[in-house]
Structures are given as structure tokens and as C-alpha cells.
Amino acid sequence: VRGAAPVEGLYERLLAGDRRAAARLITMVENGDPEARNILRQLHRHSGKAHIVGLTGPPGSGKSTLACRLAGRFRLEGRTVGIVAVDPTSPYTGGALLGDRVRMQDLADDPEVFIRSMGSRGALGGLSVATNDVINILDAFGKDYIIVETVGAGQVEVEVVKFSHTCVVVAMPGGGDEIQAIKAGILEIGDIFVVNKADREGAQRTMADLEMMLETKPALDASSWKPRVVATVAVDGGGMDDLAGAIQGHWEYLVESGLLEQKTIQRMKAELISILNLRVSKAAARALEDKDTGEELLRRMAARDIDPHSAAEEVERLIVREARL
Amino acid sequence: VRGAAPVEGLYERLLAGDRRAAARLITMVENGDPEARNILRQLHRHSGKAHIVGLTGPPGSGKSTLACRLAGRFRLEGRTVGIVAVDPTSPYTGGALLGDRVRMQDLADDPEVFIRSMGSRGALGGLSVATNDVINILDAFGKDYIIVETVGAGQVEVEVVKFSHTCVVVAMPGGGDEIQAIKAGILEIGDIFVVNKADREGAQRTMADLEMMLETKPALDASSWKPRVVATVAVDGGGMDDLAGAIQGHWEYLVESGLLEQKTIQRMKAELISILNLRVSKAAARALEDKDTGEELLRRMAARDIDPHSAAEEVERLIVREARL
């Protein structure tokens, strides 16, 4: 374990490009350190330049390898990259999870690639907030691309869309089972669809299925973005030019159409609401732990004297009255 | 489309066992009908008897078929069953999705089985709240078991655990790819693990892997629940006796250990907090739409004049001051 960087001067050192300062601040965010909040406030004005790319898909679709290969591809153009690997099903946090795959792909020694795994440890429902904080830190740290990789089908993807400029949905070749993961809801959120492991049997069919599904999705108008389908073989780097091109194409579309500003506003709204939700959850948890009011309320709920919606209104009054928010 | 049941007398008809009344109230809940809230309040005292069983696993693991087979198994004992199929990736809501599978398995005509699919349509971040409302309705409607099926890996499962008494995690036989879905986080939440499609190659190995992983998980004490691993072939009903037995065994454990009350309190807390979060999200969305205050705040965020955490505090003040909560 390397020695922890001191908190003093963290802001300045981070802006000067000190990786250890960035890593330290991220750890502080994950630990809920109140000092982190102050530094985040100062850092905010330096963020807002990065292209945030969400990468999501079912377990086993090769997202991590794809993220690393994509980072390598961006590096060929001299662009800098942050990778945030979010796994709500893992209690682990830190750099360990991606370690092996990364070393394999020669990214580990590149000072212009910053990789961080985030699990549910300590995040206590605050994983969305912590993920956004980390995105903002890497943005202020000067990374050109920030790849946010999440496992999922479900709510998590929806969050990824809200937090990213470009949403990449990863699928694998396969029969009916795997295509189940590509449902209407997923079609809605993807700007780019990747069929990874495209050297496997059935890749052509999966590509065709996806393209057909996307055909039936009505375009808003002639100028609106048409989702792209890209084939990749992440393990040997196949298809990375196509994928990088599609991602850059989507960014150009956002800039030229004027939608980038709208996306930014959407991202900020989603971030605001996730912060508010976390604050309210914490305030409510504190209120419910109160011996006199909170425990009494839970007893009344258990005795079926009060229903959950009415109880929520009571907790709200408790929180507001006692300024616990 | 059958005619909608009238709202008047819905409460009485639901308690009298009228399925159409239950279906109508659920639709009202999904549409955010304010009248539904009043009926839910009245119904609350009639709920609290059902055994709520969460069923989760990756896409393609056969959860829906398993849920239907399990319902059929419970019916053999004369118990009544509700199935709530929650799919946050689907925009669809209603009875349609499960329809074919259900008809196939002769459950559709059984008046003692109530099946409902819930998608993200209109739920607007309120899927957790709506799911809990539906659980409570089916509980008051007198169902002995309520099976809550969700697709996932991710946050969704964690929600399922919070809302259920017994959490069943479904896996499939397979190599490294599929086992990725069974990670530390998932091991923590499962009370029962099912290897479905157990007639496929590799089932023995997946069972052994799971059992080994569970061995390494330290038991809290000698009397604490030891997670069970069950093999099933849901398509032909194989293993359903084992699965039903494990689920009933877990319920007996909860009752005998006195943990049932603790679980109930946990469920209520989770429900309270999800209601609060939805209320705050809605209040914040309204506040942000306000021309003078909300839009100005978003402009300042976009201009990097104010950081997201400070902005969240401002929205909180707006909400409290204007009693928008």
C-alpha cells in the first residue's frame, strides 16, 4: 500500500496533474469525508469539458475489456481517458478489480489513463452520487474521455444514460436467451450498440436482429441521431476504429445539433436529484432511528395503525421541522 | 378490452375477492391516480399476512417460467399466489408480457393466481413505490404468497431483498461468463440459490461452485440461516418440490428465530424511504421547472457558477420554503 497523499494542497496538486491526488480525493468521496465536499466545490469550475461515455450490458458481455481497448484506441490519438467501472453487485471498491485485465493490456503504466472500480461498499444507496462525483473529479483532472462502465440490466443503465453524453449498449452473439437483454427499454437508451465477441457463431444474426429492431424505432425527425450497430472483438482489439468513430460521430452530432447543451442540463438535473435523494434518505434514516418519534412510527406501521404513504408524510414533517435535511 | 370496474365500492369489492377490482386498483396505482392512495390507506390494515418471495437473476435464466411453476406448486397445497413481474428495462405494463408463458402452464384460468407485469412506463423513478403498492394490494387481497420477479444484476436485486422476506437468486449452468453474475454482492443477498436449466451441461459444476462460494461466507452464528442451493428444470417442473420446501423452510426459520419482525421493520423502512425519495424527486422536478428560481439555478450550474452539491442544497431550501413536499 502506497502512502496516502496529504489532504492539504490536494486541490492544487490535482489540477497540476498529480494522479495520487486524484486517487486520494476519490477515496475521500467514497468514504463520505466532509472535506471532499469542499474540494469538489472548488473543482467544479474546472470541469465540463470531458466527453462522458456510458458503457453498459449484461454480465459476461466483455464490457471491461472493451473499456480498456477503447481507452487504448483513444490514446493512439493522444487523448486522455478516465475509466470508472461501477458494479453495484460488488462490495469491492478501489483499483483491484480491473487490475489484471488492465495490466494485460498495457494501460496500467500509461499516466494518461486513470482507472477506478467502484462497488457498493459504504456507498449506502449513494453509488449514483459517488459515481457522479468521480466523473466530475476526472473531468476537472483533465481527462478528454470518461468511460463509465456498469454491469446491468435494469435501473443502473437508466442512470448511466442520465449521466453520460453517449450511451453504448454492449450485447453478445447468441440465441433467444441473450437477445432477451436487448429489450425495448434498452433500445430506447442506446446511442450505439456493440455486438462484442463478434467472432463467435451467431454474430451476424445478432447484428441483423439489432438493426431490424432499431429500424422499427421511429426517428424523431430526419436530422435526429440514428443509433449505430458496431461489431467488436474486444480481446484482440477488433472493431475499435469503428467504435471510436461512432462515439466521436455522436459527439459531433450533439455539438452540431445543439443538443449538447440540452444533454448537459439533463445530466445536471439527474445529478441534482440523486444528491437530493441521498440527503433525504440519510435524513429519514436518522429520523427513523430517533427513539421517541422514529421507532414509535415504525411500531405503528408494524401494527398496521398507519400506512406507508401516511408514514412517509410524517417522516417528511419530522425532517423539515427538525431541519434534519 | 374488458370494461373498467367502477372506482366506487372498489375497496369493498377487492376485499370480497373481486379480481377485476384488484386489477383496476393496480392500474390506478400505476397511473398515479390520487384516488388510489385513499384506497391504499384503507386497505393497509388488511395486509401483512403474505409471504413475499423475491426472485431475481440475469436475463435468460428462466425466472418467469420458474415463477409460474412455483405458483403452480403452491396451488397444489391449496395456497393462493400473486406474481408481480417487474422489468425496469421494459416500457410495458399490464398483463401482456407473461401472458403466453402463463397460458402454457394453465395458470391463466386459476382464479387463485393473480399475475401482473410492471414496466417502467409512467413510473418515472417510482417503480419501487408502485411495486410495493402492488405487493400491499395483493397482500390485502389475501394472497398467501407474493412472488416478485425482477430481471437484473444491479440495484434492482438489492431492492428486491429489501422488499421481500425470502430472496431467491436464479442462475444457469455455464462457464465463466455466466458465473460472473454470481458475485460477492449477490451471494450476500440470496437466501436460496436456484440453478435453473439444470438438465444442461455444466449444472453439477455450477451447483458445486455456488456451494463452495457459500461455504466461504462466514455464518453469523450456529443458528443463522444457511443459504440453500436447489437445482430446477422449470420448463418441465423439475425440482419444484425442493424449491417450495426451501422457501417454506426459510419462512419457518424467520418465524422461529424471531427475525420475521425484524424483516418486517426493514421492509417498512425501505418502503418509507422509497416513497420519500419519489416525493422529493417530484418536488425537485417541479422546483427546477420554475421559471424564476429553477431554470436560473440550472443556468448557473451549466455556467459552472455553482456546483451540484451546493445546488442540491438550494433546491432543498426551495422545496421546504415553498412547502412543495
Side-chain angles (χ1 to χ4, degrees):
Chain A
V1 182
R2 284 168 277 176
V7 174
E8 211 160 313
L10 209 53
Y11 170 72
E12 291 78 8
R13 283 187 293 112
L14 194 143
L15 287 180
D18 180 344
R19 286 167 68 89
R20 280 180 60 207
R24 179 74 199 283
L25 182 57
I26 291 173
T27 302
M28 287 167 68
V29 161
E30 289 175 328
N31 294 339
D33 189 322
E35 185 59 30
R37 190 75 8 114
N38 293 330
I39 302 175
L40 282 174
R41 280 189 223 274
Q42 292 177 273
L43 273 182
H44 181 66
R45 81 184 80 112
H46 300 283
S47 64
K49 297 177 206 88
H51 181 178
I52 300 159
V53 180
L55 195 70
T56 190
S61 55
K63 292 178 299 297
S64 299
T65 312
L66 202 66
C68 292
R69 285 289 178 188
L70 188 59
R73 179 64 187 66
F74 288 142
R75 291 294 300 129
L76 290 181
E77 298 176 18
R79 315 297 296 273
T80 60
V81 186
I83 302 179
V84 188
V86 184
D87 185 352
T89 67
S90 164
Y92 304 113
T93 276
L97 274 180
L98 268 176
D100 291 337
R101 262 169 285 195
V102 171
R103 237 168 279 131
M104 207 172 64
Q105 287 166 58
D106 302 322
L107 283 178
D109 296 327
D110 184 338
E112 298 304 339
V113 179
F114 191 102
I115 300 174
R116 186 76 174 206
S117 296
M118 298 182 70
S120 56
R121 182 186 67 92
L124 267 172
L127 191 56
S128 297
V129 173
T131 300
N132 259 317
D133 286 344
V134 173
I135 291 171
N136 291 337
I137 290 168
L138 293 178
D139 189 345
F141 192 49
K143 294 302 172 206
D144 297 318
Y145 291 96
I146 299 167
I147 303 172
V148 186
E149 179 216 327
T150 64
V151 73
Q155 259 161 274
V156 187
E157 274 114 342
V158 181
E159 302 254 298
V160 169
V161 189
K162 285 185 190 157
F163 297 161
S164 62
H165 296 110
T166 301
C167 180
V168 179
V169 175
V170 186
M172 295 182 281
D177 282 1
E178 286 79 5
I179 212 72
Q180 244 194 287
I182 315 289
K183 287 191 192 161
I186 301 289
L187 284 185
E188 295 304 318
I189 67 169
D191 300 306
I192 296 161
F193 293 84
V194 169
V195 177
N196 192 29
K197 308 187 180 186
D199 52 346
R200 289 195 185 175
E201 207 188 309
Q204 289 299 331
R205 169 123 189 257
T206 304
M207 298 272 297
D209 284 354
L210 266 171
E211 271 155 5
M212 201 183 64
M213 285 183 198
L214 290 169
E215 282 295 321
T216 61
K217 187 183 152 187
L220 294 177
D221 56 65
S223 67
S224 66
W225 175 255
K226 283 174 199 64
R228 302 262 299 269
V229 182
V230 177
T232 61
V233 185
V235 282
D236 65 13
M240 287 304 132
D241 287 351
D242 287 352
L243 180 54
I247 289 169
Q248 285 156 343
H250 186 249
W251 179 259
E252 281 156 25
Y253 163 75
L254 289 178
V255 172
E256 284 161 18
S257 64
L259 282 175
L260 185 60
E261 201 189 315
Q262 201 175 311
K263 274 262 179 189
T264 303
I265 297 274
Q266 274 173 14
R267 284 192 56 233
M268 290 185 317
K269 275 191 184 175
E271 186 170 3
L272 258 184
I273 285 179
S274 71
I275 295 171
L276 273 173
N277 278 339
L278 182 62
R279 291 171 63 90
V280 170
S281 297
K282 284 183 173 173
R286 283 195 302 272
L288 289 174
E289 274 162 21
D290 185 287
K291 286 259 174 270
D292 295 325
T293 50
E295 290 190 4
E296 170 63 16
L297 190 64
L298 288 170
R299 265 193 300 273
R300 283 167 58 208
M301 279 181 82
R304 307 271 145 185
D305 277 346
I306 185 167
D307 71 283
H309 290 274
S310 305
E313 285 167 25
E314 282 211 14
V315 172
E316 225 167 63
R317 278 191 289 271
L318 285 174
I319 293 173
V320 172
R321 195 199 315 148
E322 310 200 11
R324 287 176 197 259
L325 269 183
Chain B
V1 181
R2 284 168 277 176
V7 174
E8 210 160 314
L10 209 54
Y11 170 73
E12 291 77 9
R13 282 186 295 112
L14 194 143
L15 287 180
D18 180 343
R19 286 167 68 89
R20 281 181 59 208
R24 178 75 199 281
L25 182 56
I26 291 172
T27 301
M28 288 167 68
V29 160
E30 288 175 328
N31 293 340
D33 189 322
E35 185 60 28
R37 190 76 6 112
N38 293 330
I39 302 175
L40 281 174
R41 279 187 223 274
Q42 291 177 276
L43 273 182
H44 182 66
R45 81 184 80 111
H46 299 283
S47 64
K49 297 177 206 89
H51 181 178
I52 300 158
V53 179
L55 196 70
T56 189
S61 56
K63 291 178 300 297
S64 299
T65 312
L66 202 66
C68 292
R69 285 290 178 187
L70 188 60
R73 179 64 186 63
F74 287 142
R75 291 294 300 130
L76 290 182
E77 298 175 17
R79 315 297 296 271
T80 61
V81 186
I83 301 179
V84 189
V86 184
D87 185 352
T89 67
S90 164
Y92 304 114
T93 277
L97 273 179
L98 268 175
D100 291 336
R101 263 168 285 194
V102 171
R103 238 167 279 130
M104 205 172 66
Q105 285 166 57
D106 303 322
L107 283 178
D109 297 327
D110 184 337
E112 298 303 338
V113 178
F114 190 101
I115 300 174
R116 185 78 174 203
S117 294
M118 298 182 72
S120 56
R121 181 185 67 92
L124 266 174
L127 191 56
S128 297
V129 173
T131 300
N132 259 318
D133 285 345
V134 173
I135 292 171
N136 291 336
I137 290 168
L138 293 178
D139 190 344
F141 192 50
K143 294 303 171 204
D144 297 318
Y145 291 97
I146 299 168
I147 303 172
V148 186
E149 181 214 325
T150 64
V151 73
Q155 260 163 271
V156 187
E157 274 115 343
V158 180
E159 302 255 297
V160 169
V161 189
K162 285 184 190 158
F163 297 163
S164 62
H165 296 109
T166 302
C167 179
V168 179
V169 175
V170 186
M172 297 182 279
D177 283 1
E178 287 80 5
I179 212 73
Q180 244 193 286
I182 315 289
K183 287 191 193 160
I186 301 290
L187 283 184
E188 295 304 318
I189 67 170
D191 300 306
I192 296 162
F193 293 83
V194 169
V195 177
N196 192 29
K197 308 187 181 185
D199 52 346
R200 289 195 186 175
E201 206 189 309
Q204 289 299 329
R205 177 134 178 248
T206 305
M207 298 273 298
D209 284 353
L210 267 170
E211 271 156 5
M212 201 183 63
M213 285 183 194
L214 290 169
E215 283 294 320
T216 61
K217 187 183 153 190
L220 294 176
D221 56 65
S223 67
S224 66
W225 175 255
K226 281 172 202 65
R228 302 262 300 268
V229 182
V230 178
T232 62
V233 185
V235 282
D236 65 13
M240 286 304 131
D241 286 352
D242 286 353
L243 179 55
I247 290 170
Q248 285 156 343
H250 186 249
W251 179 260
E252 281 157 25
Y253 162 76
L254 288 178
V255 172
E256 283 162 17
S257 64
L259 282 176
L260 185 60
E261 202 188 315
Q262 201 175 310
K263 275 264 178 189
T264 303
I265 296 274
Q266 275 173 13
R267 284 191 56 233
M268 290 185 316
K269 276 190 183 175
E271 186 170 2
L272 259 184
I273 285 179
S274 70
I275 295 171
L276 274 173
N277 278 339
L278 182 62
R279 290 172 64 90
V280 169
S281 298
K282 284 183 174 174
R286 283 196 301 271
L288 289 175
E289 275 163 21
D290 184 287
K291 285 260 174 272
D292 295 324
T293 50
E295 289 190 3
E296 170 63 17
L297 190 64
L298 288 170
R299 266 194 299 275
R300 283 166 58 207
M301 277 181 82
R304 305 272 144 184
D305 276 347
I306 185 169
D307 71 283
H309 290 275
S310 305
E313 286 166 25
E314 281 211 15
V315 172
E316 225 167 64
R317 278 190 291 269
L318 285 174
I319 293 174
V320 171
R321 192 197 321 145
E322 309 199 11
R324 285 175 198 260
L325 268 183

